[in-house]
Amino acid sequence: MHITKQYRCVHSAACVCTKGHLSEEVIFLVFNHLNWNPKLIVALSCTCKWLDDLAKRVLWKEFCKTRAPKMMSDLHSSGSHIVDGSWRALGKLLIYCSGCKKDGLFNRVHVPGHFVYRTRFSRTSGKSFLLSQCRTDVLYISDPCEHLDQGEEGDIGFFRGIFKSFATSKVRKLLISRGAPLHPKEVCPYCKAKLWNMQAANMIPSSASCRLGAYDDCIEYYVCLNGHVLGICTLLPLSDTDEASEE
């Protein structure tokens, strides 16, 4: 991997790194040894603008490739690429559950956003979230992050995902053709882009509830202009899920 050398901060005269930076090659090797620890990448990004730029261009990219190699390879296959929303946004998507607040996007309960240790993303599961005419699109969806006993709302699950080549996807074309409105205030927690409400666009198939183990009428999810997905569902009790599976 070729990395252009830069030894001093060229972005800010107020940068504390007055004696220059380590070379990008050295920083790359250090974080490679640390297995691209995301908490340390965040800490480095807060140091100065030069290091923040390095983290965006190199460190988050390597983190994503290490954390989900098969998913990253697929998302980049056939000439597609991930530039929408940046590598930092994708890295955050892999490890951060955005939760919700009562006056926010889902307006149900207050569940603070939090980092998760590891989440499985599945391309097969993604098919269950697409209408039949959009099944050729590629969507990776996570297992739901479960938050149990949320009062009257019961057991809540949050899920997230990402489209491959969303700019040319059938889902995007259908959203536009249906004149689906963008959310007037809330934005994507991963890249700050505007959001389409898939429920309002009547584009959530019943197969999504089966995949999530959730009530059919209690699923809501959004897709941002960069193809990031975030959603919420009310999970079925375990016994009901088992019975549905047996049927």
Side-chain angles (χ1 to χ4, degrees), residues 154-173:
D155 297 340
I156 298 295
F158 295 98
F159 56 94
R160 56 199 190 279
I162 184 171
F163 277 89
K164 176 181 179 180
S165 302
F166 183 65
T168 58
S169 67
K170 291 184 177 180
V171 165
R172 182 178 181 274
K173 292 178 181 177

Side-chain angles (χ1 to χ4, degrees), residues 24-228:
E24 292 190 5
E25 287 90 343
V26 171
I27 297 174
F28 180 91
L29 292 173
V30 168
F31 275 87
N32 183 42
H33 179 72
L34 296 171
N35 197 30
W36 312 105
N37 186 304
K39 293 183 179 179
L40 294 179
I41 296 176
V42 171
L44 185 77
S45 299
C46 296
T47 305
C48 77
K49 291 184 179 180
W50 185 85
L51 291 170
D52 182 50
D53 177 68
L54 173 64
K56 291 177 181 177
R57 290 186 293 104
V58 179
L59 304 184
W60 283 117
K61 178 180 179 180
E62 296 302 323
F63 166 78
C64 292
K65 290 169 62 178
T66 301
R67 179 59 65 95
K70 292 183 179 179
M71 177 177 165
M72 295 304 114
S73 177
D74 183 30
L75 289 173
H76 283 79
S77 64
S78 304
S80 62
H81 51 83
I82 300 176
V83 294
D84 298 335
S86 81
W87 284 103
R88 180 168 62 181
L90 181 56
K92 185 177 180 181
L93 180 80
L94 292 178
I95 59 174
Y96 185 73
C97 170
S98 61
C100 68
K101 53 185 179 180
K102 284 192 175 181
D103 296 328
L105 193 61
F106 299 112
N107 198 31
R108 290 191 182 183
V109 294
H110 178 68
V111 178
H114 61 95
F115 289 96
V116 294
Y117 174 68
R118 189 176 296 275
T119 303
R120 184 180 68 91
F121 284 78
S122 170
R123 174 173 171 164
T124 302
S125 295
K127 294 292 184 185
S128 300
F129 291 76
L130 302 173
L131 296 177
S132 58
Q133 61 265 45
C134 300
R135 289 287 171 87
T136 55
D137 287 349
V138 174
L139 170 61
Y140 281 85
I141 285 288
S142 73
D143 291 333
C145 180
E146 298 183 0
H147 296 264
L148 308 180
D149 301 321
Q150 297 297 316
E152 294 182 357
E153 294 296 332
D155 297 340
I156 298 295
F158 295 98
F159 56 94
R160 56 199 190 279
I162 184 171
F163 277 89
K164 176 181 179 180
S165 302
F166 183 65
T168 58
S169 67
K170 291 184 177 180
V171 165
R172 182 178 181 274
K173 292 178 181 177
L174 189 57
L175 283 166
I176 294 173
S177 67
R178 291 189 176 187
L182 294 167
H183 197 284
K185 297 186 297 182
E186 299 295 327
V187 295
C188 175
Y190 303 106
C191 67
K192 307 303 180 185
K194 289 184 176 295
L195 296 156
W196 273 301
N197 187 329
M198 298 294 282
Q199 185 182 56
N202 195 26
M203 290 178 61
I204 302 180
S206 58
S207 54
S209 61
C210 297
R211 177 63 66 176
L212 291 168
Y215 291 99
D216 186 45
D217 59 346
C218 295
I219 298 178
E220 185 177 4
Y221 77 90
Y222 291 80
V223 180
C224 82
L225 297 177
N226 290 322
H228 302 130

Side-chain angles (χ1 to χ4, degrees), residues 146 209-215 235-247:
E146 298 183 0
S209 61
C210 297
R211 177 63 66 176
L212 291 168
Y215 291 99
L235 299 170
L236 288 164
L238 185 59
S239 58
D240 288 356
T241 305
D242 290 341
E243 291 170 6
S245 299
E246 292 172 1
E247 290 177 2

